[in-house]
Amino acid sequence: MSKIQKKISKIVLVVDDIYKALDNFKIMFDFKDVDIVSAANDNKDPNVQTIYHGEKISGEVKIANLVMDNLIIELIQPIDKHSPWATFKEESGEGIFSIVFDTDDFHKTKEMLGKCEFNLFHFGSYIGGKYAYFNTKDKIGTTLCIQELQKQSE
């Protein structure tokens, strides 16, 4: 049975205002230039998909990745009203949306989590990797996410 690596790679925070949140992180930590990226998916490329509860969505967001020593804090400001991040914000306000773990075998790990009755509710693929969110809030206190990043060629 495939297991998840025992290292958190990312903590995802949903925020109301990404610029304000980023400014607050810059006050606390020594971040210089952090890019804020707008992302949305037209779902035309079969290798680049955003699927929420079985439905293709654009998943429009603003994202900033804050690289810490041993993990990434990802700030997400939902723009699209129909997305996992917008739903979280509507139900819970700002806060920790998910913890992300890397896997080297995405499909086996996804299958293993399904057998544990952790239901997949959101899947995304993009140039460079893929990720999946599982309904685990009532089991571990937050959403569990697995990601598999493409290995960089040398």
Side-chain angles (χ1 to χ4, degrees):
M1 182 179 278
S2 181
K3 297 286 183 182
I4 299 171
Q5 295 174 11
K6 295 180 185 176
K7 178 182 168 211
I8 296 173
S9 60
K10 189 184 296 183
I11 297 173
V12 179
L13 303 175
V14 169
V15 298
D16 288 326
D17 181 333
I18 199 163
Y19 298 98
K20 180 180 170 188
L22 185 54
D23 285 345
N24 287 325
F25 271 94
K26 285 180 177 180
I27 290 169
M28 294 182 289
F29 301 100
D30 186 23
F31 289 113
K32 301 290 184 234
D33 297 322
V34 177
D35 293 330
I36 295 175
V37 178
S38 293
N41 192 343
D42 62 12
N43 289 292
K44 291 180 181 175
D45 180 345
N47 296 313
V48 179
Q49 298 289 304
T50 307
I51 301 169
Y52 180 46
H53 292 297
E55 178 185 342
K56 291 181 180 181
I57 63 167
S58 73
E60 186 176 1
V61 293
K62 290 181 182 175
I63 300 172
N65 284 305
L66 306 170
V67 179
M68 307 296 268
D69 282 341
N70 55 349
L71 62 88
I72 294 171
I73 295 178
E74 183 172 78
L75 305 176
I76 294 182
Q77 178 185 333
I79 306 299
D80 189 357
K81 300 294 183 208
H82 183 60
S83 72
W85 311 285
T87 300
F88 175 85
K89 191 173 112 181
E90 183 179 304
E91 292 174 356
S92 305
E94 293 183 292
I96 297 175
F97 170 73
S98 69
I99 53 174
V100 182
F101 295 89
D102 291 332
T103 180
D104 290 331
D105 193 332
F106 189 84
H107 295 290
K108 281 188 179 178
T109 305
K110 185 174 84 165
E111 185 179 288
M112 180 269 299
L113 291 169
K115 287 179 182 175
C116 295
E117 298 182 10
F118 295 165
N119 298 318
L120 173 72
F121 71 92
H122 178 74
F123 169 79
S125 59
Y126 54 94
I127 304 303
K130 54 190 157 201
Y131 65 94
Y133 293 139
F134 295 85
N135 282 326
T136 55
K137 187 165 171 117
D138 62 337
K139 294 174 173 59
I140 64 170
T142 192
T143 298
L144 174 72
C145 176
I146 58 168
Q147 73 176 2
E148 182 179 67
L149 304 175
Q150 288 179 347
K151 299 196 181 4
Q152 301 294 320
S153 13
E154 296 181 19

